[in-house]
Amino acid sequence: MANHKSAIKRIRQTEARNLRNRYYAKTMRNAVRNLRKETDPAKAAENYKKVSAMLDKLGRKHVISKNKASNLKSKLAKHINKLNVAK
């Protein structure tokens, strides 16, 4: 157990951040999963804007790395382009 007041506060802050980061990471994974399941090109393109913004934000806030955000955005863009070609 922590002996200093500042260490106790740090533990509280870390637990709060972990909980918040887990929530946003799970929300992001669900959004990516739903976008990959999308078959309508118009809806997929609309959702891509939202998911892309979410990925950028989480990358900036270090919930996920910036490279992971870029890789996911790239793969999702490829998926949407395939939908447009198949249409």
Side-chain angles (χ1 to χ4, degrees):
M1 186 63 201
N3 292 324
H4 295 281
K5 203 171 184 180
S6 61
I8 294 169
K9 181 178 178 180
R10 274 292 186 201
I11 290 169
R12 277 199 322 266
Q13 288 176 329
T14 302
E15 286 173 354
R17 284 191 193 111
N18 283 343
L19 187 63
R20 190 178 317 121
N21 287 344
R22 265 200 326 236
Y23 168 76
Y24 285 120
K26 183 66 174 177
T27 303
M28 178 264 309
R29 284 195 303 272
N30 287 336
V32 168
R33 188 178 304 126
N34 291 337
L35 183 57
R36 283 190 179 131
K37 286 180 185 176
E38 191 64 57
T39 56
D40 179 36
K43 281 186 180 179
E46 183 181 321
N47 287 342
Y48 175 74
K49 289 179 185 176
K50 294 176 186 175
V51 173
S52 177
M54 181 190 301
L55 289 169
D56 284 334
K57 185 176 181 180
L58 293 178
R60 276 195 313 270
K61 300 216 177 217
H62 304 290
V63 175
I64 59 174
S65 74
K66 287 183 181 181
N67 283 346
K68 181 176 176 82
S70 290
N71 289 338
L72 283 170
K73 283 171 44 178
S74 174
K75 288 176 184 175
L76 291 172
K78 277 184 173 181
H79 172 70
I80 290 171
N81 288 335
K82 276 186 197 173
L83 290 177
N84 287 332
V85 170
K87 183 181 174 185

